Amino acid sequence: MRKARPFELLFDIFNSILMFVVVLIMAYPFLYVFLYSISDPAHLKAGLMLWPEKITFNSYKVIFANPVIINGVYISIARSVIGTVSMLVVTAAAAYAISKKHLIGVRFLRVFFILTMYFSGGIIPAYLLVKSLGLTNNFLVYIIPNMVSVFNMILIRTYVESIPASLEESALMVGANELQIFLYIVIPMSTPVLAAVGLFTFVNQWNSFVDVQIYNFMKPDLYPLQYILFNYLMSQSQSIEQAKRTMNVTAISPQSLKTTITIITILPIFFIYPVLQKYFVSGLMVGSVKE
Amino acid sequence: MANVGSAVKSRNGVFRQMANQKYLIMLALPAFVLTLVFSYIPLAGWFIAFSDYQLGFSFFSGEWTGLKQFRLFFGETSDAFNIIRNTFAMNIMSLVGGLGIAFVFSLLIKEVASGKAKRLIQIITFFPYFMSWVILYSVIYSLFSTSSGAINVFLVDIGILKEGLNILGDKKYSWTLIVLVNIWNTLGYNSVIFLASISNVPADLYEAASIDGAGRLQKAISITIPYMVPTLLVLFIMNSGWILNSGLDQYFVFTNPTNRPTMEVFDMYIYRYGIKLMNYSYATAVGIIKAIVSIVILYGVNMLSRRLSSRSII
């Protein structure tokens, strides 16, 4: 055994304390919001806490009895699920097509897609276009403009190119066409990359709120959870009276409601987070291999 | 005659090839059309920056006004100066601070003896990265709102502050707020990349150093850090190319009328003038300026990157 040097021992102690502090800074803000949401507002003192004050799930009951929130949950789920599936279908199909070197015009197509990562027309022309297509005040604005993700297309293409060519060749020999190969060979073989890319798209869709503000703010029926929370946070000096009126509640403080909606909005991400974190590390690797 | 013949033949060849590849073309077509519509057609919208555009008419129907909107942006107010300064200051400081702290943090994680603790620390530090800016704002508001934020109340209670700091509203805290929040948000993400580069260090290098009697500090300085520096450079270069496109979401939640002079960045300004005030021509002109600056930066960074690391980011 190596002789412990006093300097290194001191360093280990210092390092452990530092790591603890970092973890605290990362986790405590979320813990605080959670503790607040399950505390009884009547017993709450302002200030830091490590333990809930008189645990109650009243604010959760109130929130889940609210039709506005329930509708928001539906919209959030719908945009995340439909948005993810449609992105996967469109983007993976194109990724497979541009992985074929013999495809007519493939070099043009690759540049055509990749260029869009480096410029955009900007917020206003995009807004005017979406408006003229009749996609404002429309659920489809969450879906259609997000169906193509060039970044994901590159990740999927890199993966597809690593599938042994002999598999496809033997399928061609027995008379399969490229559509069948895509459906029955490429998709099943690419599940790891499709799962990773799908998860991130799901998270992005779940987390979106700016597109709601720009395109759909006239349509409260189409507000996802994130945007309901955003609105609620932004209405400055939200008094209890206002809260009662807008959320139709009594005896619950606005801050309790805010923290509760926040926790509900975090929850789905929290549950898929372990998988997400694992995939992210491998996703990064896929990306850096390409680079 | 021979030329005509081969032209006809090759045209037939193209059609035959297209017919043979009809399934591949079918697979590429939806993405092609969507990209054309949502990424390329908006470029035609740049025309309205040079004309007197009216909502509901075509992009090209307005009267030509030349560079009037551009002159307005640079000449009439101090807006241009504020926007450019805010965008660069906050994004550069966030980038340098974020990468610097993650660099040191990764070195320190490496020194944690227990593998389980290492993994746990990584899992916890990565969490904020997956949260929306609405969630992050909500969490930060609960801790830092002036009168009821838990940390403000705590600091007043123990007598460090007389009254709570108005971190979210006062314009003198804008830059500090954004930089700290960004470091907090991206620490886990950046350290995953740094830790990957640390794991590339061949184990026998450390063994050889141990035999020579090197301590952990010496190993870190002469082995680990040199292995991490190329990654640091690549990350720095790649991220600085995107400095103007650092996300509308974040500034959407933190910008308010009281901190606007020091908080407003390009995209928020374009949003305010275009979508809110419906001054489409002016907002598009500002968008064009942003796009040009952004392409110049990307190009410059790419050249620098080629020279430094013989790696092109484009």
Side-chain angles (χ1 to χ4, degrees):
Chain A
M1 183 140 167
R2 199 165 43 122
K3 209 171 72 181
R5 309 170 191 215
F7 164 75
E8 294 192 355
L9 189 68
L10 206 66
F11 167 79
D12 278 331
I13 294 169
F14 161 80
N15 200 23
S16 307
I17 295 172
L18 188 78
M19 288 295 151
F20 180 74
V21 171
V22 171
V23 165
L24 202 66
I25 293 173
M26 290 291 165
Y28 183 75
F30 298 101
L31 181 68
Y32 173 80
V33 168
F34 175 67
L35 293 177
Y36 201 109
S37 76
I38 57 167
S39 294
D40 186 345
H43 289 75
L44 266 178
K45 290 189 297 281
L48 298 167
M49 56 175 155
L50 293 170
W51 201 250
E53 301 291 332
K54 284 211 73 169
I55 297 181
T56 160
F57 292 98
N58 263 343
S59 55
Y60 285 86
K61 279 181 207 143
V62 169
I63 293 280
F64 277 118
N66 187 317
V68 172
I69 300 282
I70 297 301
N71 188 61
V73 173
Y74 284 138
I75 295 290
S76 281
I77 293 175
R79 77 170 289 176
S80 305
V81 172
I82 301 173
T84 304
V85 172
S86 59
M87 186 288 295
L88 282 177
V89 171
V90 172
T91 302
Y96 171 65
I98 64 165
S99 77
K100 292 283 159 269
K101 286 196 186 67
H102 64 270
L103 173 67
I104 198 160
V106 70
R107 301 182 67 160
F108 163 77
L109 262 186
R110 286 177 184 172
V111 173
F112 176 83
F113 286 125
I114 288 171
L115 268 185
T116 62
M117 289 176 78
Y118 298 98
F119 74 85
S120 85
I123 301 168
I124 305 303
Y127 168 76
L128 296 174
L129 174 80
V130 166
K131 205 173 160 69
S132 70
L133 292 174
L135 289 174
T136 45
N137 302 322
N138 189 335
F139 177 77
L140 292 175
V141 78
Y142 302 144
I143 311 296
I144 296 176
N146 297 320
M147 280 198 204
V148 180
S149 157
V150 174
F151 183 75
N152 292 345
M153 198 188 291
I154 295 171
L155 290 183
I156 298 171
R157 182 195 130 193
T158 312
Y159 197 90
V160 167
E161 282 172 347
S162 72
I163 297 174
S166 55
L167 267 177
E168 282 190 44
E169 279 158 16
S170 49
L172 280 172
M173 297 272 253
V174 298
N177 63 44
E178 275 123 341
L179 189 63
Q180 289 166 323
I181 293 177
F182 174 67
L183 289 175
Y184 301 117
I185 296 180
V186 174
I187 289 186
M189 296 283 290
S190 312
T191 33
V193 72
L194 294 179
V197 158
L199 268 177
F200 298 124
T201 308
F202 184 91
V203 173
N204 281 340
Q205 283 279 6
W206 185 268
N207 283 345
S208 294
F209 64 98
V210 174
D211 54 356
V212 189
Q213 168 78 36
I214 293 180
Y215 299 121
N216 277 354
F217 83 103
M218 304 271 276
K219 261 282 219 264
D221 291 356
L222 297 176
Y223 290 174
L225 268 184
Q226 299 276 359
Y227 188 72
I228 293 170
L229 178 60
F230 173 73
N231 256 345
Y232 196 47
L233 289 169
M234 288 301 141
S235 46
Q236 293 291 328
S237 66
Q238 179 80 243
S239 71
I240 296 174
E241 284 310 307
Q242 272 175 306
K244 278 181 191 161
R245 237 180 303 123
T246 54
M247 309 298 283
N248 197 20
V249 291
T250 46
I252 286 190
S253 76
Q255 182 60 16
S256 279
L257 286 179
K258 282 180 193 169
T259 53
T260 308
I261 307 178
T262 305
I263 293 300
I264 292 170
T265 313
I266 292 177
L267 229 48
I269 309 289
F270 184 79
F271 283 124
I272 60 170
Y273 177 65
V275 195
L276 204 60
Q277 201 250 1
K278 199 186 85 197
Y279 268 127
F280 196 86
V281 179
S282 63
L284 274 179
M285 292 313 145
V286 179
S288 57
V289 168
K290 173 74 188 86
E291 290 284 340
Chain B
M1 276 314 268
N3 278 342
V4 175
S6 77
V8 170
K9 210 170 143 195
S10 78
R11 194 179 301 151
N12 280 340
V14 169
F15 283 129
R16 192 163 326 118
Q17 213 184 341
M18 281 177 72
N20 284 340
Q21 297 184 342
K22 59 177 183 286
Y23 293 111
L24 279 182
I25 293 170
M26 237 169 68
L27 288 171
L29 201 61
F32 177 79
V33 172
L34 285 165
T35 306
L36 188 70
V37 171
F38 289 103
S39 296
Y40 285 93
I41 290 182
L43 289 179
W46 281 17
F47 190 82
I48 67 175
F50 306 94
S51 68
D52 194 9
Y53 173 76
Q54 300 292 324
L55 189 62
F57 292 88
S58 107
F59 283 162
F60 306 107
S61 62
E63 205 158 306
W64 182 259
T65 57
L67 296 176
K68 180 179 141 205
Q69 308 292 353
F70 295 86
R71 259 181 253 127
L72 268 177
F73 180 61
F74 286 111
E76 299 287 307
T77 61
S78 59
D79 286 359
F81 173 77
N82 283 345
I83 300 302
I84 293 172
R85 180 200 60 198
N86 294 344
T87 308
F88 277 94
M90 285 190 279
N91 291 332
I92 292 176
M93 287 194 292
S94 299
L95 177 61
V96 172
L99 287 179
I101 289 185
F103 187 92
V104 176
F105 181 65
S106 314
L107 268 175
L108 293 175
I109 290 188
K110 185 195 166 288
E111 297 302 327
V112 172
S114 137
K116 260 190 192 153
K118 259 185 209 168
R119 253 195 316 278
L120 191 67
I121 293 169
Q122 279 194 68
I123 287 177
I124 292 172
T125 48
F126 211 165
F127 189 67
Y129 186 76
F130 291 103
M131 295 291 112
S132 77
W133 282 102
V134 178
I135 299 290
L136 297 179
Y137 181 82
S138 170
V139 168
I140 291 165
Y141 182 87
S142 321
L143 293 173
F144 290 103
S145 72
T146 319
S147 56
S148 61
I151 289 182
N152 264 331
V153 170
F154 173 72
L155 292 177
V156 170
D157 278 353
I158 62 170
I160 290 182
L161 293 177
K162 271 220 178 73
E163 53 180 17
L165 298 176
N166 186 10
I167 293 170
L168 294 165
D170 194 326
K171 64 182 188 199
K172 71 179 176 213
Y173 297 120
S174 299
W175 295 4
T176 322
L177 172 70
I178 289 291
V179 173
L180 290 179
V181 168
N182 270 321
I183 292 173
W184 178 65
N185 184 36
T186 58
L187 182 69
Y189 170 80
N190 287 329
S191 29
V192 163
I193 305 176
F194 283 129
L195 286 166
S197 76
I198 291 179
S199 69
N200 283 337
V201 181
D204 49 354
L205 276 184
Y206 290 122
E207 282 160 26
S210 298
I211 293 167
D212 290 342
R216 280 151 72 191
L217 181 65
Q218 280 161 306
K219 280 188 224 168
I221 291 173
S222 52
I223 302 173
T224 317
I225 292 180
Y227 261 84
M228 289 168 73
V229 167
T231 308
L232 177 68
L233 273 182
V234 168
L235 278 180
F236 183 76
I237 289 168
M238 279 175 51
N239 289 329
S240 56
W242 307 107
I243 220 146
L244 295 191
N245 297 312
S246 51
L248 186 56
D249 295 33
Q250 173 186 9
Y251 294 103
F252 228 89
V253 294
F254 287 116
T255 310
N256 51 51
T258 51
N259 67 12
R260 188 180 288 148
T262 54
M263 185 62 97
E264 196 168 41
V265 294
F266 262 113
D267 280 340
M268 284 308 293
Y269 187 79
I270 294 166
Y271 169 78
R272 181 157 66 94
Y273 272 90
I275 311 280
K276 284 235 145 133
L277 303 173
M278 297 203 282
N279 197 342
Y280 298 115
S281 294
Y282 180 65
T284 306
V286 179
I288 294 175
I289 294 164
K290 184 197 147 199
I292 292 172
V293 177
S294 167
I295 285 177
V296 169
I297 293 176
L298 200 62
Y299 187 75
V301 161
N302 195 39
M303 292 231 305
L304 192 74
S305 162
R306 269 194 195 145
R307 191 157 301 169
L308 284 180
S309 60
S310 67
R311 250 168 100 116
S312 158
I313 59 168
I314 298 180

